[in-house]
RNA sequence: CGGCGAUUAGCGCAGUUUGGUAGCGCACUUGGUUUGGGUCCAAGGGGUCGCAGGUUCAAAUCCUGCAUCGCCGACCA
């Protein structure tokens, strides 16, 4: 490609609405342009990168035995009514009507369509297992699209769906997909981790997310420092620091704390260790039928954070988790939120595992302006129900039993899970078994955020000059950068010759033949992040050399003109 | 959906307080200059100031409504 025939579309200035570095660089490098909130055009450079990601994903999916399909983005509502998700999905599902007022959706995912296909086309256990995938545009009407293509409304996803007659077959394909994902993200040159994830309301036994590690990641991941254990902080089990509480050493006393409305204030007033305090949070409760029913108190240690997901999974707690307001608390307890505690609390209570092993701790006394010091379970108040309620934090023991936890941020780029029979039951996806009986199929589902990977890769690979592509993703593997070509017939001749040679060798090459100053060209090419640059200039031509520059290391080496292309193809690892 | 903010040339912004001929930098066009890291000089093109009403002799500027975009939060998986 000659840059004079190409659309570089680079920008000097950073658009004001781009917050994170990948969004800024994708705009500046001319990879995407926003069309509306959460909707982007992929400009030529961006599309080349996107196609590289797709190519690697496709190759590895096929190598793992999956078969490519392509399903429509617009899907009829009746399929969604059949699966129940027409009701369940909420406003993220964009619904629309055709000219005959028939209802349709823009597909946020394709379980319904693939189920419809498989129930029609597959009728015997002999046709199983089957793993079908596509690389398709999805649409989710996100409440708040942000960070460019990282969280956009329209995005490209690889989604695969597998169908099985039994658990063993599902498990086997799941493991094959797990390995394929590791290969894909490794080939893409990403620093990533598989992470134990929520099986959630979907059910199923097992789920893993694949995260690219980056400061800007929207998820927090807990890692063991001594094993492979990694889990989303939302889900990581918090292990108490000891088996049981230490014996009490002091008698409980009530103290006046007129200004201590927060744990921090309480700690300062009495010079307490924050680990010797506990906070009491009041949320809405439910009865056995799941109907709203009164309030319930949750307690975590003063320096710990309540985990919303864990709390809302408790049978006594309303889901989604809803905090009581000041008036509700006052009506139920007779004191405000700053003075709550376990002693004399007229509400049902669940305490975190760590709270259950505390001794001599401080908490509110359920009277405005008073706290108790030196509370001890059993002696001063009965120990209520105990549950895992808090977020893990760095330094906690790892739930795998080995080492302690460290917390890093990650960007979710892949998610695999065993769906079980949720969709096949709803949509009657089944076959005849060996014994001639009808049986609904087990399903697995495997997603990769193709467009998000492009942004995630930039988050991990950039410097002050721009993007530094992993070679497998780079829009061009090599750029020929002639110095003042329009003044030197020699430079032009060599540049043209190398350009033809590169093309002949199958390299994706950009020939920057613009009549620009060298500084402008260097800056643009580094911004775009092309891994290898061949600098052709009068300076080295007398010796028959060019300069080969590496984007990542910045290293420059003189290479004989005759050897350059051979050297580049030898190290090419696309 | 709640809170806050923005909307003036392709991009980044000033001008709005105190109403009076539409500005700056970058980008773009032309000519010259320069030529191994975002040259310099000169000339030029480009804006119904988000939209609709209102106040006024006069509105980018004041008032009302709407739209779009963004940030924080909640929500969702």
């Amino acid at each position: 490609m000659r840059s004079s025939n190409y659309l570089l579309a680079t920008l000097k200035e950073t658009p004001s609405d781009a917050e994170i570095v990948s969004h800024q660089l994708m705009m500046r490098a001319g990879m995407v342009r926003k069309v509306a909130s959460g909707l982007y055009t992929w400009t030529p450079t961006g599309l080349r990168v996107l196609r590289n990601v797709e190519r690697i994903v496709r190759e590895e999916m096929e190598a793992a035995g999956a078969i490519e399909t392509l399903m429509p983005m617009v899907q009829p509502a009746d399929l969604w009514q059949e699966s129940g998700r027409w009701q369940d999905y909420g406003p993220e599902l964009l619904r629309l009507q055709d000219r005959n007022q028939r209802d349709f959706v823009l597909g946020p995912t394709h379980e319904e369509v693939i189920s419809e296909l498989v129930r029609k086309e597959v009728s015997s256990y002999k046709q199983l297992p089957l793993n079908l995938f596509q690389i398709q545009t999805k649409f989710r009407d996100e409440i708040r699209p942000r960070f460019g293509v990282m969280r956009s409304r329209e995005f490209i996803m690889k989604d695969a769906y597998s169908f099985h007659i039994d658990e063993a077959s599902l498990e086997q394909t799941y493991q094959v997909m797990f390995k394929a994902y590791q290969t894909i993200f490794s080939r893409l040159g990403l620093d990533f981790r598989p992470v134990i994830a929520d099986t959630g309301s979907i059910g199923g036994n097992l789920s893993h997310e694949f995260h690219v590690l980056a400061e800007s990641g929207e998820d927090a991941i807990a890692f063991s420092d001594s094993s492979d254990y990694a889990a989303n902080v939302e889900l990581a089990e918090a292990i108490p620091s000891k088996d049981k509480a230490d014996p009490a050493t002091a008698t409980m006393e009530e103290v006046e704390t007129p200004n201590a409305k927060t744990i921090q204030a309480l700690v300062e007033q009495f010079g307490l260790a924050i680990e010797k305090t506990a906070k009491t949070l009041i949320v809405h409760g439910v009865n056995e039928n799941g109907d709203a029913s009164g309030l319930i108190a949750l307690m975590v240690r003063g320096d710990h954070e309540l985990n919303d997901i864990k709390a809302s999974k408790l049978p006594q707690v309303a889901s989604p988790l809803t905090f009581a307001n000041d008036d509700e608390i006052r009506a139920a307890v007779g004191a405000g939120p700053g003075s709550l505690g376990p002693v004399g609390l007229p509400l049902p209570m669940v305490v975190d595992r760590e709270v259950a092993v505390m001794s001599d701790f401080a908490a509110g006394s359920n009277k405005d302006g008073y706290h108790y010091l030196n509370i001890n379970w059993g002696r001063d108040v009965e120990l209520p129900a105990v549950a895992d309620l808090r977020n893990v934090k760095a330094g906690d023991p790892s739930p795998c039993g080995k080492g302690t936890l460290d917390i890093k941020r990650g960007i979710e780029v892949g998610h695999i899970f065993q769906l079980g029979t949720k969709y096949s039951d709803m949509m009657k996806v089944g076959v005849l078994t060996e014994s001639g009986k009808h049986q609904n199929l087990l399903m697995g589902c495997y997603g990769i955020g193709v467009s998000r990977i492009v942004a995630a890769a930039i988050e991990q690979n950039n410097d002050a000059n721009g993007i530094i592509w992993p070679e497998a993703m780079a829009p061009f593997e090599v750029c020929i950068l002639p110095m003042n070509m329009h003044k030197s017939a020699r430079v032009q001749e060599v540049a043209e010759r190398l350009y033809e040679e590169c093309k002949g060798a199958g390299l994706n090459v950009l020939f920057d033949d613009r009549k620009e100053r060298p500084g402008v060209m260097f800056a643009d090419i580094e911004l775009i992040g092309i891994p290898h640059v061949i600098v052709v200039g009068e300076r080295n031509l007398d010796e028959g050399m060019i300069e080969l520059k590496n984007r990542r290391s910045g290293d420059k080496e003189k290479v004989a003109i005759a050897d350059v292309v051979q050297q580049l193809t030898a190290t090419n690892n696309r």
Side-chain angles (χ1 to χ4, degrees), chain A residues 15 75 91 107 154 172 186 214 251 278 299 334 354 356 401 405 412 424 429 445-446 460-461 466 498 536 547 558 571:
Chain A
Q75 307 174 10
E154 189 177 299
Q172 189 186 6
S186 299
T251 51
M299 276 185 80
E354 188 65 36
L405 291 177
E412 183 187 343
S424 51
V429 187
C445 154
Y446 319 92
Q460 274 189 348
N461 297 281
L498 283 171
V536 183
E547 185 179 287
K558 280 195 200 176
T571 57

Side-chain angles (χ1 to χ4, degrees), chain A residues 280-286 293-299 306-308 311-312 314 316-325 328-329 332 340 347-348 350 389:
Chain A
T280 306
L281 309 161
I282 310 293
V283 301
H284 287 202
V286 291
S293 167
L295 301 178
I296 182 162
L298 305 175
M299 276 185 80
L306 183 72
N307 179 310
D308 296 11
S312 63
L314 292 175
Q316 311 94 308
V317 171
S319 179
L321 191 71
T322 315
F323 283 94
N325 64 36
E328 289 168 328
I329 293 172
L340 303 176
L347 288 176
V350 181
L389 289 180

